[in-house]
Amino acid sequence: SAKFDEGMVISRLSQLPDVKIGRLLQRNTFTATDPKTTNLLNFPINATVGDVLRVITDKDGIAICFRSNQTPW
């Protein structure tokens, strides 16, 4: 939905009547690009990238949002 592309996902999820946010997890790591990442993201080989993983679960522990992305550093 376009709503989730235009705003912070936590704010958008909290506006949904049937959603009760339980837990938020974010993990940040730094790695170097491998050949697959280099080709997919058009980064130089062995470039430093920040890997961000975000998981939001509902009150029952079911993942309601999962996002993973890599950003050049």
Side-chain angles (χ1 to χ4, degrees):
S1 156
K3 283 201 281 187
F4 288 97
D5 293 333
E6 297 170 0
M8 298 293 290
V9 69
I10 296 169
S11 298
R12 298 294 184 181
L13 285 172
S14 66
Q15 293 171 358
L16 298 174
D18 297 333
V19 174
K20 301 291 184 226
I21 295 173
R23 184 171 183 224
L24 312 170
L25 168 80
Q26 179 171 304
R27 183 183 69 194
N28 300 306
T29 57
F30 294 94
T31 58
T33 56
D34 57 21
K36 182 178 180 181
T37 304
T38 297
N39 290 332
L40 290 173
L41 300 178
N42 198 27
F43 291 168
I45 191 77
N46 292 324
T48 302
V49 291
D51 298 307
V52 180
L53 171 67
R54 293 181 184 100
V55 180
I56 302 173
T57 61
D58 67 10
K59 63 181 179 102
D60 297 319
I62 297 170
I64 55 176
C65 180
F66 176 91
R67 292 193 177 206
S68 177
N69 68 316
Q70 292 184 319
T71 306
W73 191 256

